[in-house]
Amino acid sequence: MNKDEIINRVNEVIESSKIQNYPVDVIGIAHNNGFRVYEQYLPQKVSGMIMVDKEKPIDNFGSNKVIVINKYDAAMRRRFTIAHELAHYFLQDCDSIKLYAHRDEGKSSSAESDANFFASNLLMPEKLLNNAINAAKDRLYGILPDSILEIIISDIFQVSLSAARIRLLQLKIIS
């Protein structure tokens, strides 16, 4: 899937979820799409997983749509993981039970890269991001070094500093 198609899909999700403020309520988006979100202690290299079964509830969860996130991870990481797992649902056809484990080990498939791009766009939609940047510039009289902007965006969108930096680079807001 190309980047424009992913952005269009994210925008559909944002619109249908009536997202107008930051930080984006990613758990609310999950719930509005029928998901139950659980925190469990998972192996260190697994941030989360998504399970969908259109036929029956998934064992031990009482729902046919489940996202499990790693309780060991920081809150900002868990938010990104939920958005990432939702990306698998919105970008791929989930006709039967499927399991996706998100690992942070350098190499990733195109599906994982697409899910990360989707998550970044969902948690930091361009329109809301620009609104936040303009508000920050107004408060700081237009003087906003890149390093400070990254911290501000990380804080108000409740994402990691690296996620904020990557998103700002994607939009060519910083260099």
Side-chain angles (χ1 to χ4, degrees), residues 1-8 113-114 117:
M1 185 170 272
N2 71 44
K3 302 293 185 207
D4 289 335
E5 291 171 322
I6 294 170
I7 291 168
N8 288 337
S113 294
D114 287 352
F117 185 73

Side-chain angles (χ1 to χ4, degrees), residues 2 5 71 81 87 106 129 136 142 146 151 164 173-174:
N2 71 44
E5 291 171 322
K71 204 170 189 173
T81 299
L129 192 63
D146 290 353
I151 293 167
I173 294 169
I174 64 171

Side-chain angles (χ1 to χ4, degrees), residues 16-19 25-35 65:
S16 69
S17 300
K18 299 181 173 115
I19 300 299
D25 181 8
V26 72
I27 292 176
I29 293 171
H31 289 166
N32 289 340
N33 285 280
F35 282 92
K65 290 180 169 180

Side-chain angles (χ1 to χ4, degrees), residues 1-97:
M1 185 170 272
N2 71 44
K3 302 293 185 207
D4 289 335
E5 291 171 322
I6 294 170
I7 291 168
N8 288 337
R9 189 67 185 116
V10 169
N11 289 336
E12 290 170 7
V13 172
I14 289 169
E15 187 175 320
S16 69
S17 300
K18 299 181 173 115
I19 300 299
Q20 298 175 349
N21 300 305
Y22 46 80
V24 169
D25 181 8
V26 72
I27 292 176
I29 293 171
H31 289 166
N32 289 340
N33 285 280
F35 282 92
R36 289 194 181 168
V37 179
Y38 295 92
E39 291 182 354
Q40 293 186 347
Y41 293 109
L42 299 173
Q44 186 176 9
K45 293 184 179 183
V46 178
S47 295
M49 64 183 116
I50 184 171
M51 294 174 277
V52 176
D53 188 335
K54 291 187 177 183
E55 305 282 320
K56 61 183 173 52
I58 296 160
D59 295 341
N60 302 324
F61 292 105
S63 176
N64 66 331
K65 290 180 169 180
V66 175
I67 294 173
V68 180
I69 55 176
N70 196 335
K71 204 170 189 173
Y72 286 120
D73 289 342
M76 291 177 176
R77 177 64 194 171
R78 292 192 307 263
R79 283 176 42 77
F80 191 89
T81 299
I82 293 167
H84 174 98
E85 298 305 337
L86 283 171
H88 287 299
Y89 177 74
F90 288 118
L91 298 178
Q92 299 174 17
D93 183 25
C94 292
D95 282 333
S96 61
I97 192 162

